[in-house]
C-alpha cells in the first residue's frame, strides 16, 4: 500500500470507529460487569478492528462487523476463566446489535444530553453515580460505604437511571422542536 | 410495555455485582423477549455513557479543587486510589483510540539501523536508514544493511540478498549472506533457509544461501549454533571456528574453518548443467548514442526521449542447430547512472530477431541507426521491476529457439527494445553488460543440446 492510500485507510478507520465505538462499548459493558475488565475488552476490540481492517467488507455495516468482533473478544474474556456460559447467545447478540444500530442516529445527541441531565440531578443522586461510575464501586460495595443494603442501593441506582433516561428524552424533544 | 419490576430486574445487569448464575438466568430470560432486549440496548448505551461522563467530571472536579481537600464527597475517601485509577482510565479512554490505532498499524519488530552503499529492489518494506520494519521481504541488490530486531539480534545483510522478516526471533534467508550477532536476549534466534534452519545459542555467525541451489553455508565465529536440516530431522551443532554446508539431501559434517573465507556466492556466475553450452555475443552495440552519455561497456535501452536500441550478434558456426533442445537468452543489467528510476514504471522489454536482408554489421558503424531495412520477428519479452537496475534477466521461448533453427548463415542478430516509456522526462536509461564489460558476463545464449 502506498503512504497516501495507507493514510486514507487509517483516516477512514478512525472515522468509522468513532461512530461505532459507543455501540461496542454498550455491548461490552452489558456483557461484562467489571468496568476495568470491560474497558480492557473494548480496547482489545479496537486493536482487533484496526489489525483486521483490511478484511472489512465495505458492503456490510461497519458497526455490525465491529460488534461481531466484540463478541469474540467477550468470549475470549470469559474463556480465560472458564465461564463461557456467560456469553450472550448468538441470537441474542444479533438482536442486541440490531437494537444498538437502530439507535445510531440519536446516539451522539443522547450522550450530549446526558451531560446536561447529570448536572440537573439532585446532589445525592449525583454522589450515588460518582460512587458507581467514577469509583467503579458495585452496589454491594456502595451499600457498605453508605451504611445501607445492596437492595436499596440497586433501587436507588435504578431510579437515577430512570430520571436520566426521562431527562434525556425531554432534552431530545426540545432539540427536535428548535 | 415492560413492567417496572421487569426493568428493575434487567437493570441489575448494570450494578456491578451480578453473580454468574443470575447473569445466566437473566440472559436466558431475554431469549424470548425482544422488547426487553431493545430496552436493555438503550440502557446499555446510557450505562456506558455514564461511565465516561462521570469519569470526566471526576477528573475536572479534582483538577479544580486540588489545592484544598475536597469536602464535596467525604464518603469516597476510602477509595482515593480507586479514583486515581478512574482518572487514569479516563485518559486511557481519551487517548486509547489514537494510541491503539497507531499501535495496530505499527506492527513492526525490527529497525533498519544503517546501510552502506545499499541498493534495494522494490519491495513492501521501507529501506531508509532508521526505518521500522514489520513482516515483509528486503531485497538488497548491492551493499550492506544492518538490521536490529527488537529481540536484540543484529543481522548484517550482504548483497545480493533476500531476507524475509517474520518476527523479532525469526527470519528467512532465501539468498545471500547474513552475519548475525546474537545477545542473550535473543537466544534461539532462527534463520530459516531453503535447506536448513540455523538456530542460534548466543554467538556471532554467518549464513550464506546460494540462490537456485538453496545450498546453505554456516560458519560460527564465536559461540554455538545448531543447524537443523530441512529434509530430515538431523541436527548438527557448530562451535567457534566451525563451518558446515547443507546442500539438498546432502548434509555436511561440522568442519574447522581454519583461515578460509566463507564462500558467499556460487563459483560460476552463469550456472548451467553439463548439457548446456554457453555462447557469448561475437559483437554487440547500441544505437542512439548521445554525446557525453555513451558507454563502452554497457548496452543502453530507452524509449521516449532519445531512443536507445541494442543489437546482439551471435556466431553459431560450428554448432549443430538441429540438436537444440532449449535456448535461453541471458542479459545482466547494471546501473547506467543516467535518468531517474522513479520516472519509469515496471519496464517491459522485447527481444526481436532480424530477418530478411540483414546487412553485415560491425560495432563501429552503429552510431546513429542500424544499417539497411531488415524485417523483424518478436521472440519474447521480460520485465524489469520499477527501481531495479541490476540483476540477470532471461528470455526462454519457443519462438527464440525456432528463430535460431531456421536462420541461414552463421551469424544471427537480435534486437532488444524497451517497450515502456517514461512517465515524465529525464527517466532512467536501462543498461546491460556488453561483451566488453570487465566483470559481468556478456549477453549469452544458453543452449541445451541433445547429448550425442
Amino acid at each position: 500500500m502506498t503512504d497516501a492510500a495507507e493514510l486514507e485507510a487509517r483516516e477512514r478507520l478512525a472515522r468509522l470507529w468513532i461512530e461505532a465505538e459507543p455501540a461496542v462499548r454498550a455491548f461490552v459493558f452489558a456483557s461484562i460487569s467489571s468496568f476495568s475488565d470491560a474497558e480492557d475488552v473494548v480496547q482489545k476490540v479496537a486493536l482487533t478492528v484496526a489489525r483486521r481492517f483490511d478484511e472489512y467488507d465495505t458492503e456490510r455495516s461497519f458497526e455490525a462487523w465491529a460488534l461481531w468482533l466484540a463478541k469474540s473478544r467477550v468470549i475470549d474474556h470469559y474463556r480465560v476463566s472458564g465461564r463461557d456460559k456467560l456469553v450472550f447467545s448468538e441470537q441474542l447478540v444479533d438482536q442486541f446489535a440490531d437494537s444498538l444500530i437502530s439507535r445510531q442516529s440519536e446516539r451522539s445527541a443522547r450522550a450530549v444530553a446526558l451531560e446536561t441531565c447529570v448536572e440537573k440531578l439532585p446532589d445525592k443522586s449525583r454522589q450515588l453515580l460518582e460512587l458507581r461510575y467514577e469509583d467503579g464501586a458495585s452496589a454491594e460495595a456502595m451499600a457498605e460505604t453508605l451504611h445501607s443494603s445492596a437492595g436499596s442501593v440497586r433501587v436507588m441506582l435504578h431510579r437515577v437511571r430512570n430520571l436520566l433516561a426521562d431527562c434525556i428524552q425531554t432534552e431530545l424533544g426540545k432539540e427536535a422542536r428548535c | 410495555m415492560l413492567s417496572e419490576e421487569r426493568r428493575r430486574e434487567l437493570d441489575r445487569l448494570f450494578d456491578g455485582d451480578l453473580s454468574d448464575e443470575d447473569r445466566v438466568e437473566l440472559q436466558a430470560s431475554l431469549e424470548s423477549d425482544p422488547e426487553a432486549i431493545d430496552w436493555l440496548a438503550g440502557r446499555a448505551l446510557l450505562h456506558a455513557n455514564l461511565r465516561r461522563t462521570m469519569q470526566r467530571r471526576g477528573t475536572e472536579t479534582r483538577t479544580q479543587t486540588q489545592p484544598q481537600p475536597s469536602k464535596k464527597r467525604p464518603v469516597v475517601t476510602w477509595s482515593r486510589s480507586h479514583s486515581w485509577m478512574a482518572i487514569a482510565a479516563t485518559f486511557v479512554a481519551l487517548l486509547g483510540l489514537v494510541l491503539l490505532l497507531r499501535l495496530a498499524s505499527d506492527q513492526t519488530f525490527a529497525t533498519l539501523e544503517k546501510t552502506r552503499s545499499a541498493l534495494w529492489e522494490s519491495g513492501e518494506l521501507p529501506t531508509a536508514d532508521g526505518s521500522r520494519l514489520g513482516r515483509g521481504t528486503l531485497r538488497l541488490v548491492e551493499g550492506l544493511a544492518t538490521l536490529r530486531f527488537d529481540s536484540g539480534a543484529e543481522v548484517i545483510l550482504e548483497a545480493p540478498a533476500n531476507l524475509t522478516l517474520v518476527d523479532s526471533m525469526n527470519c528467512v534467508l532465501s539468498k545471500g549472506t547474513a552475519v548475525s550477532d546474537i545477545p542473550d536476549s535473543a537466544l534461539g534466534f532462527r534463520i530459516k533457509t531453503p535447506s536448513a534452519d540455523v538456530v542460534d545459542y548466543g554467538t556471532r555467525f554467518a549464513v550464506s544461501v546460494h540462490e537456485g541451489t538453496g545450498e546453505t553455508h554456516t560458519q560460527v565465529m564465536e559461540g554455538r549454533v545448531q543447524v537443523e536440516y530441512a529434509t530430515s530431522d538431523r541436527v548438527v551443532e557448530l562451535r567457534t571456528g566451525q563451518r558446515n554446508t547443507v546442500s539438498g539431501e546432502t548434509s555436511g559434517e561440522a568442519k574447522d574453518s581454519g583461515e578460509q573465507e566463507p564462500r558467499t556466492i556460487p563459483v560460476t556466475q552463469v550456472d548451467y548443467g553439463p548439457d548446456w553450452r554457453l555462447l557469448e555475443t561475437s559483437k554487440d552495440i547500441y544505437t542512439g548514442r548521445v554525446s557525453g552519455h555513451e558507454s563502452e561497456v554497457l548496452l543502453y535501452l530507452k524509449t521516449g526521449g532519445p531512443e536507445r536500441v541494442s543489437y546482439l550478434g551471435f556466431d553459431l558456426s560450428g554448432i549443430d542447430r538441429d540438436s537444440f533442445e532449449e535456448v535461453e537468452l541471458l542479459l545482466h543489467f547494471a546501473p547506467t547512472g543516467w535518468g531517474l528510476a522513479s520516472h519509469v514504471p515496471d519496464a517491459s522489454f522485447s527481444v526481436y530477431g532480424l530477418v530478411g536482408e540483414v546487412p553485415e554489421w560491425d560495432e563501429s558503424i552503429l552510431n546513429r541507426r542500424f544499417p539497411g531495412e531488415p524485417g523483424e520477428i518478436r521472440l519474447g519479452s521480460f520485465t524489469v521491476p520499477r527501481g531495479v537496475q541490476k540483476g540477470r534477466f532471461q528470455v526462454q521461448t519457443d519462438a527464440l529457439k525456432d528463430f535460431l533453427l531456421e536462420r541461414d548463415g552463421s551469424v544471427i542478430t537480435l534486437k532488444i527494445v524497451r517497450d515502456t516509456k517514461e512517465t515524465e522526462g529525464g527517466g532512467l536509461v536501462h543498461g546491460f553488460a556488453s561483451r566488453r564489460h570487465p566483470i559481468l558476463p556478456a549477453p549469452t545464449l544458453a543452449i541445451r543440446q541433445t547429448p550425442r
Side-chain angles (χ1 to χ4, degrees):
Chain A
M1 218 193 286
T2 65
D3 286 354
E6 197 178 316
L7 194 69
E8 200 187 307
R10 262 197 236 182
E11 275 173 14
R12 203 158 63 90
L13 166 63
R15 224 171 35 244
L16 289 167
W17 174 250
I18 286 166
E19 288 242 308
E21 194 257 5
V24 170
R25 243 173 101 80
F27 170 72
V28 175
F29 276 52
S31 305
I32 297 169
S33 289
S34 146
F35 281 129
S36 54
D37 285 356
E39 274 153 359
D40 279 354
V41 170
V42 171
Q43 295 206 352
K44 281 180 187 149
V45 177
L47 201 60
T48 312
V49 164
R51 276 197 183 133
R52 296 176 56 179
F53 189 52
D54 52 346
E55 293 169 29
Y56 162 58
D57 172 5
T58 49
E59 301 288 303
R60 286 180 59 198
S61 147
F62 178 79
E63 203 164 307
W65 182 64
L67 282 166
W68 175 71
L69 291 175
K71 187 197 167 194
S72 308
R73 294 290 81 81
V74 170
I75 292 174
D76 291 347
H77 168 76
Y78 280 124
R79 190 178 289 142
V80 173
S81 49
R83 294 150 77 207
D84 305 37
K85 62 179 180 183
L86 295 180
V87 181
F88 281 123
S89 73
E90 194 83 29
Q91 193 198 352
L92 218 54
V93 172
D94 287 348
Q95 288 178 0
F96 202 79
D98 283 349
S99 186
L100 287 170
I101 292 167
S102 71
R103 287 173 159 85
Q104 192 177 36
S105 58
E106 57 174 35
R107 271 192 325 232
S108 61
R110 279 180 172 273
V112 174
L114 177 64
E115 305 280 327
T116 318
C117 293
V118 168
E119 210 55 56
K120 285 183 182 170
L121 283 178
D123 283 353
K124 218 178 144 189
S125 306
R126 212 168 31 241
Q127 280 176 15
L128 208 63
L129 292 181
E130 281 165 356
L131 279 174
R132 173 74 189 103
Y133 287 99
E134 191 189 329
D135 298 339
S138 67
E140 268 169 22
M142 285 167 73
E144 211 172 298
T145 314
L146 298 172
H147 306 293
S148 176
S149 73
S152 42
V153 168
R154 282 186 198 115
V155 172
M156 286 191 282
L157 279 172
H158 175 66
R159 285 193 191 138
V160 178
R161 290 188 195 116
N162 283 350
L163 273 177
L164 288 171
D166 290 347
C167 171
I168 289 168
Q169 212 52 48
T170 315
E171 289 292 316
L172 290 184
K174 270 190 210 163
E175 201 172 274
R177 283 194 296 276
C178 288
Chain B
M1 177 97 177
L2 293 177
S3 70
E4 176 60 18
E5 197 192 337
R6 175 72 165 144
R7 289 182 185 195
R8 206 158 48 220
E9 188 185 49
L10 295 173
D11 227 7
R12 286 214 51 197
L13 210 52
F14 306 114
D15 291 337
D17 50 10
L18 199 64
S19 70
D20 286 2
E21 289 70 31
D22 288 347
R23 180 179 278 275
V24 170
E25 198 179 315
L26 189 64
Q27 287 177 186
S29 79
L30 291 169
E31 295 287 354
S32 52
D33 196 349
E35 201 186 348
I37 295 169
D38 193 48
W39 184 85
L40 210 53
R43 207 61 158 192
L45 283 167
L46 175 69
H47 174 69
N49 280 338
L50 260 175
R51 166 72 167 168
R52 193 165 270 170
T53 300
M54 297 314 292
Q55 280 191 318
R56 214 204 46 251
R57 284 174 57 93
T59 315
E60 283 167 6
T61 312
R62 233 159 274 271
T63 316
Q64 284 159 14
T65 61
Q66 216 161 23
Q68 317 98 10
S70 169
K71 288 183 189 143
K72 193 174 144 244
R73 291 166 49 208
V75 290
V76 299
T77 48
W78 60 275
S79 63
R80 189 170 295 275
S81 62
H82 290 200
S83 302
W84 280 105
M85 278 165 66
I87 294 169
T90 308
F91 282 119
V92 170
L94 293 173
L95 296 173
L97 170 71
V98 178
L99 292 176
L100 282 172
L101 291 182
R102 199 173 293 163
L103 212 136
S105 60
D106 178 28
Q107 292 180 40
T108 58
F109 49 80
T111 305
L112 182 57
E113 278 202 336
K114 58 177 184 245
T115 55
R116 287 274 177 279
S117 315
L119 195 69
W120 301 92
E121 235 176 71
S122 56
E124 62 266 45
L125 292 175
T127 52
D129 281 11
S131 296
R132 290 286 296 162
L133 306 171
R135 273 182 96 103
T137 301
L138 288 169
R139 296 183 181 84
L140 185 64
V141 179
E142 198 170 272
L144 298 177
T146 306
L147 314 179
R148 168 93 49 196
F149 288 79
D150 291 351
S151 57
E154 182 191 87
V155 173
I156 301 174
L157 208 53
E158 298 185 6
N162 288 357
L163 185 77
T164 302
L165 313 186
V166 178
D167 56 40
S168 71
M169 287 294 286
N170 289 282
C171 58
V172 181
L173 182 69
S174 47
K175 149 178 143 178
T177 299
V179 180
S180 310
D181 195 339
I182 310 294
D184 287 351
S185 62
L187 288 191
F189 186 80
R190 186 176 285 257
I191 298 181
K192 229 178 158 54
T193 77
S195 53
D197 276 23
V198 182
V199 188
D200 179 274
Y201 293 97
T203 77
R204 282 190 306 119
F205 69 101
V207 180
S208 294
V209 175
H210 295 179
E211 193 188 14
T213 61
E215 201 173 293
T216 301
H217 292 253
T218 308
Q219 178 165 347
V220 179
M221 279 80 88
E222 190 187 326
R224 183 166 71 93
V225 303
Q226 265 184 9
V227 181
E228 301 175 1
Y229 293 81
T231 51
S232 69
D233 43 16
R234 185 155 178 241
V235 174
V236 169
E237 193 176 283
L238 301 182
R239 291 181 176 275
T240 304
Q242 290 190 313
R243 66 190 161 85
N244 153 279
T245 299
V246 185
S247 173
E249 303 279 319
T250 342
S251 48
E253 299 298 330
K255 290 179 190 161
D256 289 330
S257 305
E259 293 300 304
Q260 199 184 354
E261 292 93 354
R263 178 184 294 159
T264 58
I265 52 169
V267 192
T268 46
Q269 281 181 293
V270 181
D271 192 14
Y272 281 80
D275 296 343
W276 290 80
R277 176 178 191 143
L278 301 175
L279 183 70
E280 296 188 347
T281 42
S282 57
K283 53 185 177 181
D284 53 35
I285 204 75
Y286 75 93
T287 60
R289 297 181 157 236
V290 176
S291 180
H293 264 49
E294 64 269 58
S295 171
E296 290 309 315
V297 295
L298 292 177
L299 300 172
Y300 284 0
L301 294 167
K302 178 165 177 170
T303 189
E307 290 204 353
R308 275 77 151 201
V309 176
S310 295
Y311 294 88
L312 313 177
F314 291 97
D315 187 352
L316 297 172
S317 52
I319 300 177
D320 174 16
R321 295 188 215 188
D322 292 332
S323 67
F324 286 10
E325 297 276 341
E326 277 177 87
V327 179
E328 196 165 39
L329 174 67
L330 308 172
L331 304 175
H332 292 83
F333 277 65
T336 60
W338 298 109
L340 300 173
S342 56
H343 289 188
V344 180
D346 289 354
S348 101
F349 295 82
S350 289
V351 179
Y352 294 91
L354 297 192
V355 295
E357 291 183 19
V358 186
E360 284 286 329
W361 58 276
D362 66 62
E363 291 170 349
S364 66
I365 60 162
L366 289 172
N367 272 338
R368 284 287 161 202
R369 58 183 296 277
F370 193 81
E373 288 182 345
E376 55 192 40
I377 303 173
R378 193 159 179 275
L379 305 177
S381 67
F382 57 94
T383 301
V384 177
R386 184 178 187 201
V388 175
Q389 301 187 41
K390 287 186 76 167
R392 185 166 88 188
F393 294 87
Q394 50 229 2
V395 172
Q396 186 186 31
T397 60
D398 286 343
L400 173 63
K401 189 177 84 178
D402 294 345
F403 175 78
L404 296 182
L405 294 183
E406 289 159 14
R407 271 338 87 201
D408 299 328
S410 57
V411 176
I412 58 113
T413 301
L414 301 180
K415 172 183 169 186
I416 320 289
V417 181
R418 189 173 94 191
D419 306 319
T420 307
K421 286 189 179 163
E422 57 200 15
T423 50
E424 282 179 66
L428 180 73
V429 179
H430 282 93
F432 61 95
S434 75
R435 66 193 190 93
R436 294 166 295 282
H437 198 284
I439 303 161
L440 291 173
T444 301
L445 281 175
I447 301 163
R448 188 167 68 80
Q449 292 175 284
T450 319
R452 291 182 187 183

